Amino acid sequence: MLFALVAGLLLCEGLVALFHPQLFARPDVWQFDRQLGWSHLPGGGGRLVKPEFDVGYEINAAGLREREIERRKPAGTRRLLVFGDSFAEGWGVEVEHTIGRRLEDLLNAGTSPVRHEVLNFGVAGYGTDQELLLFDLLGRHYDPDALLVFFYVNDLINNQSPRGIGAERGFKPQFTITPSGDLELRGVPVRESAFWQGSGRSTGPWPHRLRRYLVSSWHLAALVNKSLAPPLPQGQRQLYYEALYGTAPDSRTRRMWELSGRVLEEFAARAAAAAVDLHLIYVPAIVQVEEANWRTKRKLHGLVGDFDLDKPNREIARLAEGYGLDLLDLTPAFRQSQVRLYYDESHWNPAGHQLAAELVAAHLKGDGGRDAAGL
């Protein structure tokens, strides 16, 4: 009976692994940070595993998913710093396929004697507010010539939230607009959540460690765990998509865009004070590019009402014009692509990073500022 039970479980494990893989493992490369909420763990490493990919992560001594880089910029070099969330960090792709590395290769492929370095300051789950603070704390010390700030649509919600909206990230700093119209930073030093105190790691009582092992190592256990997990409330999904794409007038959403615009304005002002150009790049969500994905999500989440998937593009363009920001919207070119650019779980695959890098390189070469001269 025991042999039959074990054989049956192994057979089920094999079938699930073959036809419906479930494993998800995060590398130990993020840590609690009192200034930023969380940051990369210097020297951390491991593998990020999901059904669609299995990629390595290595964090350098400065806390970047990047090779070791001296802060002092070599002579004859132009440095561009990439800021953003998991898209910039390169979630789901090896480091050589990230947009930063692909862009660096493209910029150095010409005949210009100037060498380009593109450094990856992306951190999964970050909003524009945390990216601004990371530039102040670390980025400015690398003597950059330009910043590439990637704006993904859920940054709109990240920027107005005192907690991360992705995985168990805990609390984060947050800017607010005061009655006098000024930006005010709140939530620093950041309060440490239970996740960072050990409940989310492989520590604690042995039943907890055993469950973590099974869920992270066996497809069948992960499937059972997922089936027993409480579903996200349907109303919460509706509110999320309404905030991003809803057509009905919404004062709360309008305030979100106003706050994000002010944070971007402040980002550009601090970059200008350091004599650094800032380029804003809009990253389209998978539902904005793949019509079939949007239809599936509407049905899966039972979304009702009218939605305008181009709404974020118009809003970010309005903010860029109002605050004098250089904007590149990747959406039109992504929609025209004849190859798939996203994994099913919504992040760019290697082809997505490659196309984004090509578009950014072309944009920089056509820019009338210092970047064009350097290229």
Side-chain angles (χ1 to χ4, degrees), residues 156 243 249-260 311 315 318-319:
L156 182 68
D250 183 350
S251 59
R252 177 173 173 267
T253 301
R254 176 58 58 184
R255 289 193 298 271
M256 289 182 185
W257 280 109
E258 180 185 4
L259 176 61
S260 288
K311 176 182 175 182
E315 291 291 344
R318 177 181 62 83
L319 294 177

Side-chain angles (χ1 to χ4, degrees), residues 212-326:
R212 290 275 298 176
Y213 164 74
L214 292 173
V215 170
S216 64
S217 305
W218 293 84
H219 294 271
L220 183 59
L223 179 61
V224 171
N225 183 70
K226 182 187 297 186
S227 66
L228 296 177
L232 192 66
Q234 200 72 16
Q236 189 171 336
R237 294 283 191 185
Q238 180 74 28
L239 290 174
Y240 174 82
Y241 284 99
E242 281 182 353
L244 302 184
Y245 309 110
T247 59
D250 183 350
S251 59
R252 177 173 173 267
T253 301
R254 176 58 58 184
R255 289 193 298 271
M256 289 182 185
W257 280 109
E258 180 185 4
L259 176 61
S260 288
R262 292 295 306 278
V263 172
L264 287 168
E265 178 192 32
E266 182 65 20
F267 209 153
R270 296 190 191 185
V276 179
D277 294 328
L278 185 146
H279 304 277
L280 177 62
I281 297 142
Y282 179 77
V283 177
I286 186 173
V287 297
Q288 295 181 282
V289 175
E290 297 184 6
E291 295 181 5
N293 186 277
W294 173 237
R295 290 195 299 269
T296 298
K297 282 189 169 63
R298 287 204 68 164
K299 182 177 180 180
L300 177 66
H301 303 313
L303 303 178
V304 297
D306 295 324
F307 296 91
D308 179 359
L309 297 182
D310 290 324
K311 176 182 175 182
N313 308 75
R314 290 194 302 273
E315 291 291 344
I316 199 70
R318 177 181 62 83
L319 294 177
E321 181 179 3
Y323 294 118
L325 304 175
D326 175 58

